[in-house]
């Protein structure tokens, strides 16, 4: 990744990145994806050169303290509220009787997803959670990176597309998505791609890690890694099909030795910096 040397003349930017790694599945009792996510630094420094001039960037890495579960229903339930705030409910009907002179009790605190994600912060605009609705709430984070394990691969792969259908492999609960038509019913495309310039991201990533085997990929696997990637992308798509989708997926090798995890942290940190630099230099992220 190289070393960032601050320049006092640079503008300052802060970017917030959500990172979550996969948990155990099948006979894989230890998943290096969650170990890598848990050991990422809380902040990274970078520099970008957008049209507005150079900027020093502090990248706040919000790694979930628990892995995402390798189960279709769990992903469908828990990932959307991690990415966007809850949809506001319908406007209440006007009261039929005079209001009470006593103040109402304070509302119950909102329930957080079971991953105990950090408090969300963002700087980039997007919109509400109805496929037919107009733009509204902002996402909880500027960028999202999912991490999963591709055991047979000895290299790190940047997945560049996700699939809507074809999830026939049983998950940790023994369930498949055969016959599921939720996303097709929304009219979502069969394939969704992230909003990043994946080629540019890969070149920057590789440029900072010349000794590592890092590759772009179009095969996320038609299992939970592919599924969670599409889940993240479609949450942006259904709010506005033309808006940015700052979601990416990284596949890591299956080695979970201490040295392999340390290497994975370095490779993943380099990818996060490349994602942020590429997106900012293209005028994204506000």
């Amino acid at each position: 990744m190289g070393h960032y040397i601050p320049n006092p003349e640079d503008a300052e930017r802060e970017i917030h990145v959500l990172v979550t790694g996969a948990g155990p599945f099948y006979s894989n009792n230890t998943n290096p994806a969650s170990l890598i996510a848990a050991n990422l630094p809380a902040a990274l420094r970078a520099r970008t050169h957008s049209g507005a001039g150079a900027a020093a960037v502090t990248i706040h890495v919000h790694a979930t303290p628990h892995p995402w579960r390798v189960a279709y229903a769990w992903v469908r339930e828990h990932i959307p509220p991690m990415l966007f705030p809850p949809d506001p409910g319908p406007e209440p009907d006007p009261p039929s009787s005079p209001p009470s002179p006593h103040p109402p009790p304070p509302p119950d605190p909102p329930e957080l997803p079971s991953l105990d994600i950090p408090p969300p912060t963002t700087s980039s605009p997007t919109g509400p959670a109805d496929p037919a609705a107009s733009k509204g709430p902002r996402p909880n984070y500027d960028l999202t990176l999912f991490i999963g394990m591709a055991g047979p691969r000895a290299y790190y792969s940047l997945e560049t597309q996700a699939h809507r259908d074809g999830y026939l492999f049983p998950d940790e609960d023994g369930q498949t998505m055969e016959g599921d038509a939720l996303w097709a019913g929304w009219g979502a495309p069969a394939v969704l791609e992230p909003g990043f310039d994946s080629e540019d991201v890969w070149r920057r990533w590789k440029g900072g890690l010349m000794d590592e085997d890092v590759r772009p990929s179009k095969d996320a696997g038609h299992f939970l890694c592919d599924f969670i990637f599409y889940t993240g992308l479609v949450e942006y798509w259904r709010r506005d099909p033309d808006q940015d989708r700052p979601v990416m997926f990284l596949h890591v090798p299956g080695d979970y030795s201490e040295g392999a995890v340390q290497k994975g942290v370095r490779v993943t940190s380099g990818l996060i910096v490349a994602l942020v630099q590429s997106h900012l230099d293209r005028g994204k992220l506000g």
Side-chain angles (χ1 to χ4, degrees):
M1 290 183 294
H3 298 282
Y4 168 74
I5 301 176
N7 184 334
E9 296 183 359
D10 288 352
E12 288 287 338
R13 291 292 306 269
E14 292 193 358
I15 298 297
H16 295 263
V17 180
L18 174 65
V19 182
T20 184
F25 67 100
Y26 293 169
S27 61
N28 303 288
N29 296 322
T30 302
N31 195 324
S34 58
L35 298 178
I36 290 169
N39 284 280
L40 288 170
L44 298 164
R45 293 285 288 173
R47 192 178 182 187
T48 185
H49 301 276
S50 64
V57 184
T58 299
I59 305 168
H60 300 279
V61 179
H62 301 265
T64 59
H66 304 293
W68 54 269
R69 190 162 179 267
V70 183
Y72 297 111
W74 189 97
V75 167
R76 273 250 177 103
E77 178 181 357
H78 292 281
I79 294 304
M82 291 172 62
L83 303 183
F84 283 89
D87 301 337
E91 290 293 330
D93 294 331
S96 56
S97 58
S100 168
H102 304 291
D108 294 332
E111 292 186 5
L112 294 177
S114 62
L115 285 183
D116 300 325
I117 60 173
T121 311
T122 187
S123 64
S124 53
T126 56
D130 186 321
S134 60
K135 296 181 181 180
R138 297 182 175 186
N140 294 334
Y141 300 89
D142 297 303
L143 307 177
T144 296
L145 176 64
F146 298 117
I147 309 175
M149 181 189 80
R153 299 180 187 176
Y155 55 89
Y156 299 86
S157 50
L158 179 71
E159 302 300 341
T160 59
Q161 62 181 26
H163 301 88
R164 182 190 66 197
D165 308 313
Y167 297 99
L168 305 180
F169 293 104
D171 63 12
E172 275 292 280
D173 296 330
Q175 302 299 312
T176 74
M177 297 302 288
E178 184 175 7
D180 180 83
L182 175 66
W183 293 331
W186 291 353
V191 174
L192 278 174
E193 297 179 350
F196 299 98
D197 181 338
S198 297
E199 180 69 19
D200 181 62
V201 169
W202 176 78
R203 290 182 185 279
R204 292 171 187 258
W205 186 33
K206 179 64 176 175
L209 298 162
M210 294 302 294
D211 295 332
E212 303 296 345
D213 191 353
V214 298
R215 311 180 190 181
S217 166
K218 292 186 177 181
D219 181 14
H222 279 94
F223 189 45
L224 260 298
C225 292
D226 205 339
F227 186 81
I228 197 171
F229 191 17
Y230 194 95
T231 299
L233 293 171
V234 81
E235 283 302 306
Y236 281 86
W237 176 89
R238 75 190 186 109
R239 288 163 171 80
D240 181 354
D242 298 322
Q243 76 168 342
D244 185 30
R245 293 188 288 273
V247 179
M248 189 55 83
F249 193 97
L250 171 65
H251 262 131
V252 302
D255 188 352
Y256 54 85
S257 64
E258 182 178 354
V261 171
Q262 290 175 352
K263 179 194 288 188
V265 168
R266 186 166 65 91
V267 170
T268 304
S269 297
L271 175 58
I272 293 170
V273 170
L275 289 166
V276 170
Q277 287 179 324
S278 177
H279 229 40
L280 282 173
D281 285 352
R282 292 175 60 220
K284 305 289 185 176
L285 302 178

